[in-house]
Amino acid sequence: MKSLKTLVIAAALSLGAVGVGHAQAPAVAPAEAPVAATAANPAPIAADAAAPTAAPATTEAAVPAGDANYVPMKPTPGIGQPVAKGIDFQPQVSPVGEQAYWFNNVILLPVITVITLFVLGLLLWVVFRYRAKANPVPSKTTHNTFIEIIWTAIPVLILAVIAVPSIRLLAQQYEPPSKEALTIKVTGYQWYWGYAYPDQGIGEYVSKMLPKADAKAAGEPYQLAVDNRMVVPVGRQVKLIITGADVIHSFAVPAFWTKMDAVPGRANETTFTANKVGVFYGQCSELCGVDHGYMPIAVEVLPVDKWEAWVRSKGGNPAGPVAAVAAAAPALAATPATTTTEAAPAAAPAAAPAATN
């Protein structure tokens, strides 16, 4: 009887051990599944390793080498700078400036001259005609309807004539820039200017006034010549984003009819299009501190090919963002191949049951 109980207990223990073995068997299969998945994944790793190797080649091809062909242009006396005993505006080299110059000389000055002479003549006539000696008994006239209508209607008509070109000029000055405009960030400091060309990849560089000896040696006017000019291409619209780093400055170049305040914490915008090659000077036009009179502006307008040479000499890309988009096109075209290789891990779970069985 004791032997029979011993056999029954031994059989139960054997069955329990078999059940535990079957219960633990599925736990072994997942441990083998990662091996299969890992074996199925070498292709994406190789593709990823090859991608970084190709990317630097594309980036380096998009960045042009330096160009030493740029030579600073000599200024033309009397152009783009003040002249001795000058009483007129500087010759304008932008469409807005030409329009403003015409408006001033053709409309405003003649109207002002005629009104001034008329009022002067009227005053002289009243002084002599109605003086006390000629009029011992003064007139008691208080109103004249006809005269009152005349001196109200005529000024209204004059203002209406002036308003039409004036509003047109105002709208032209604040017209939004085109998409092809060259963007330059201008920052006013105490007491110098900083220029940056974000689209061409040219970081900010500083423009300071040249000492008197250096300006004379370069053949430029003292207190207007600078060590690093703003350089722009002829015939292309330029968008200036102007701000101040410390106090309020004002960026002004008279030959472009351009003036805009540089306010700290604010980005003001103005545009100009230079239609003549040359060097044009300006100055800070907002009282900004003890050296306010010593932060000049010099803008050099070059033919397009020479401007591109200047950009390359600064380590930039004349084509701007267009070249960056073109350089990124091959990488975008290769994206489907990367997607195909990345589909391999999705097949790994399907292979796991086979390994389990």
Side-chain angles (χ1 to χ4, degrees):
M1 191 67 180
K2 184 180 286 188
S3 301
L4 181 60
K5 288 181 180 181
T6 303
L7 291 175
V8 171
I9 292 170
L13 291 175
S14 300
L15 290 174
V18 173
V20 171
H22 283 290
Q24 291 177 349
V28 178
E32 297 176 355
V35 178
T38 305
N41 287 340
I45 294 173
D48 292 340
T53 305
T58 306
T59 306
E60 291 175 2
V63 178
D67 193 327
N69 293 333
Y70 167 72
V71 177
M73 181 183 295
K74 296 289 185 181
T76 303
I79 301 297
Q81 57 186 285
V83 295
K85 301 180 181 179
I87 59 173
D88 196 4
F89 293 115
Q90 292 185 15
Q92 297 299 303
V93 295
S94 70
V96 173
E98 292 171 350
Q99 176 71 16
Y101 191 85
W102 173 88
F103 177 53
N104 178 79
N105 289 358
V106 175
I107 295 182
L108 293 184
L109 282 181
V111 169
I112 292 171
T113 303
V114 170
I115 292 176
T116 303
L117 293 177
F118 174 75
V119 172
L120 177 63
L122 188 62
L123 286 174
L124 294 175
W125 179 70
V126 168
V127 167
F128 286 98
R129 173 67 179 79
Y130 296 100
R131 69 188 188 276
K133 186 177 180 180
N135 295 272
V137 180
S139 172
K140 295 182 179 180
T141 303
T142 57
H143 294 283
N144 188 307
T145 304
F146 177 75
I147 292 178
E148 290 179 357
I149 292 174
I150 292 299
W151 73 32
T152 301
I154 290 180
V156 169
L157 292 175
I158 293 173
L159 290 176
V161 170
I162 293 175
V164 175
S166 178
I167 293 174
R168 185 186 301 120
L169 175 62
L170 188 65
Q172 190 175 356
Q173 291 183 79
Y174 291 96
E175 185 177 353
S178 64
K179 294 182 179 180
E180 292 76 22
L182 171 66
T183 300
I184 303 177
K185 182 184 177 184
V186 180
T187 306
Y189 299 93
Q190 287 181 314
W191 288 269
Y192 54 92
W193 295 95
Y195 305 126
Y197 295 67
D199 291 343
Q200 282 67 42
I202 300 176
E204 184 179 68
Y205 62 91
V206 168
S207 178
K208 294 185 176 181
M209 187 181 78
L210 284 178
K212 188 173 184 178
D214 294 344
K216 184 177 180 180
E220 298 188 60
Y222 175 51
Q223 293 187 345
L224 290 177
V226 299
D227 52 359
N228 293 303
R229 300 169 177 169
M230 175 192 292
V231 184
V232 300
V234 67
R236 181 174 177 182
Q237 188 179 38
V238 177
K239 178 178 73 174
L240 301 179
I241 300 176
I242 304 173
T243 188
D246 32 52
V247 298
I248 299 177
H249 303 273
S250 185
F251 184 90
V253 182
F256 299 152
W257 204 267
T258 296
K259 182 179 183 295
M260 181 59 68
D261 285 350
V263 182
R266 180 182 300 177
N268 291 332
E269 181 180 297
T270 188
T271 62
F272 69 87
T273 304
N275 52 27
K276 184 177 181 180
V277 172
V279 181
F280 305 93
Y281 298 98
Q283 287 179 312
C284 176
S285 297
E286 185 72 30
L287 188 59
C288 59
V290 64
D291 284 342
H292 158 70
Y294 303 100
M295 51 183 304
I297 301 163
V299 181
E300 183 174 353
V301 182
L302 293 176
V304 176
D305 56 340
K306 293 186 178 180
W307 175 78
E308 292 178 350
W310 174 83
V311 172
R312 287 190 289 269
S313 73
K314 289 285 187 179
N317 193 334
V322 177
V325 172
L332 294 175
T335 302
T338 306
T339 305
T340 305
T341 40
E342 288 178 353
T356 304
N357 294 334

